[in-house]
Amino acid sequence: MKIERLEIHHIVQPLVQPFRTSFGTESNRPCLLVAVYSDGLVGWGECPTSDSPCYSSETITTAWHVLTEFLAPQVVGQTVTTPAEMTAHFCHVRGHEMAKASLENALWDLLAQARGVPLSQLLGGQRERVEVGVSIGIQPTVAQLLARVEEFVTQGYQRVKLKIESGWEIEPLTAVRERYPTLKLMADANSAFTLADVALFKELDALNLLMIEQPLHYDDIFDHAKLQAQINTPICLDESIHSPNHARHAIEMKACRIINMKVARVGGLSNALTIHEMCLAAGMPMWCGGMLETGVGRATNIHLATLPNFTLPGDISATSRYYAEDIAEPPFYLNTADSTLTVPTKPGIGVEVQMARVQKVRERVIIIPKN
Ligand code: OSB
Ligand code: MG
């Protein structure tokens, strides 16, 4: 397929609730949407980064820079027939995984549409529904947290992840565990702790958590191995894994027992598939993480989560949990009986981007080539 044209849309959508983590609060969520045009088809991919380099070193501005100056010019005018051919065009750019992922994932969508199959099928996935949970930000009080948890459990979410930070760990987690003794409950620290906090993690062992996500430094693997050896709760790595090589190191060092797979964080679907195979072979379960994506990124995530080694519920909640009106249709609804989302069956990612809505929330757009 000849890549005729690319568009990069920078949009900002208000979140239905502000989202607070150990690195800050977000009320308006930006992202870049990449559209790739070929033969009357258009493929979409999302770059789900933020305005500030706090979760990862990439920002909207760096992703815009790398996409427009380095990645897009490599791809426009090229003919690609396989995913490997796509990634070959930008393997010389180091880092900038989220920028790369947005373009690569748009090309995967295009390829799946050209073959007339849903993306899940092109990736080798098998499920028709994927199990999901909800990620709850840090709340002002434990009472407010319990109210939020109740709201989501009532909606049908069967797995709840609580964001934690220093001073907001034992008390909120214990309160939720006491109220919901059998709920699938887990914590995400977003790197808020150090090895000096081992005693705290030993205390958390009593709460029967599914896992604790990214307790230590964002670029660490070694210290996580030391922590995992001292606690019973499985550690799950998020921020530390940016490549198949990192995943291999984590497996070999026993730095975690679970991996959070975010396709944007590892540079796109090709790397996601490589890590998936590696984890399957090593007996390391995984789940699909989220980055407060629009319907575009959420659809990509859902297709990826149909692969066999995604054996734990993902951070892929219903559209209404994030946005009052999203830029893609149809919205995703929670199947309340089994805490799942239904995998789209149309070719590609299977959602339609609503251009009128994109224009309403758009900050800027670039079309490559200009004419
Ligand atoms: O650490 O998993 C994280 C959102 C933005 C940045 C980092 C993270 C998150 C979440 C939200 O936990 C998951 C979601 O999209 O529902
Ligand atoms: Mg996380």
Side-chain angles (χ1 to χ4, degrees), residues 19 21 23 26 29 48 50 55-56 98 133-137 159 161 163 188-190 213-214 238-239 260 262 265 287-293 298 301 314-317 321-322:
F19 192 71
T21 60
F23 55 78
E26 229 170 7
R29 182 71 182 163
S50 312
Y55 166 79
S56 86
M98 293 195 189
V134 64
S135 172
I136 302 181
R159 188 229 69 182
K161 162 169 137 181
K163 291 290 188 178
D188 186 357
N190 288 112
E213 186 177 338
Q214 197 70 34
D238 174 357
E239 280 91 326
N260 168 338
K262 287 183 185 166
R265 198 196 60 226
W287 52 281
C288 186
M291 293 288 294
L292 314 173
E293 287 91 346
R298 190 175 331 288
N301 289 345
D315 272 350
I316 327 173
S317 308
R321 184 261 173 279
Y322 308 95

Side-chain angles (χ1 to χ4, degrees), residues 69-284:
E69 301 285 325
F70 300 100
L71 302 177
Q74 292 292 320
V75 174
V76 173
Q78 302 281 355
T79 299
V80 288
T81 45
T82 65
E85 279 173 28
M86 304 169 186
T87 48
H89 287 298
F90 32 86
C91 64
H92 60 284
V93 172
R94 291 188 181 170
H96 301 284
E97 289 81 10
M98 293 195 189
K100 287 179 189 162
S102 60
L103 181 49
E104 190 197 314
N105 295 350
L107 290 160
W108 275 89
D109 178 26
L110 190 69
L111 214 59
Q113 288 181 48
R115 295 190 192 175
V117 298
L119 178 61
S120 58
Q121 196 176 316
L122 191 59
L123 295 171
Q126 284 136 9
R127 303 187 178 100
E128 290 168 11
R129 292 174 164 210
V130 297
E131 221 182 311
V132 302
V134 64
S135 172
I136 302 181
I138 295 165
Q139 303 294 312
T141 65
V142 170
Q144 279 163 284
L145 172 66
L146 286 170
R148 289 292 279 157
V149 174
E150 185 179 353
E151 190 188 319
F152 287 120
V153 169
T154 306
Q155 285 173 25
Y157 289 101
Q158 293 171 16
R159 188 229 69 182
V160 168
K161 162 169 137 181
L162 304 188
K163 291 290 188 178
I164 58 169
E165 64 181 0
S166 192
W168 180 262
E169 355 77 354
I170 302 279
E171 200 194 342
L173 283 165
T174 305
V176 174
R177 178 47 88 216
E178 278 174 1
R179 182 77 61 90
Y180 301 95
T182 60
L183 180 69
K184 289 179 189 164
L185 180 65
M186 57 183 281
D188 186 357
N190 288 112
S191 302
F193 300 93
T194 70
L195 267 186
D197 297 306
V198 172
L200 171 82
F201 294 111
K202 286 190 172 167
E203 223 180 304
L204 291 181
D205 273 341
L207 295 179
N208 187 26
L209 302 180
L210 266 186
M211 70 194 86
I212 167 142
E213 186 177 338
Q214 197 70 34
L216 308 181
H217 204 253
Y218 71 88
D219 69 354
D220 170 78
I221 295 176
F222 189 69
D223 282 353
H224 280 98
K226 289 189 186 172
L227 179 61
Q228 183 67 89
Q230 297 175 72
I231 62 174
N232 296 328
T233 308
I235 289 176
C236 168
L237 288 179
D238 174 357
E239 280 91 326
S240 298
I241 309 295
H242 284 258
S243 66
N245 216 24
H246 289 159
R248 184 174 60 79
H249 294 166
I251 291 166
E252 288 187 15
M253 286 163 119
K254 298 187 172 27
C256 60
R257 296 200 196 120
I258 297 168
I259 284 182
N260 168 338
M261 167 59 72
K262 287 183 185 166
V263 61
R265 198 196 60 226
V266 302
L269 285 164
S270 299
N271 275 350
L273 290 179
T274 304
I275 295 172
H276 175 268
E277 286 308 304
M278 211 181 257
C279 288
L280 189 62
M284 169 90 68

Side-chain angles (χ1 to χ4, degrees), residues 15 28 49 142 223 257 324 328-329:
L15 289 165
N28 292 299
T49 185
V142 170
D223 282 353
R257 296 200 196 120
E329 287 284 339

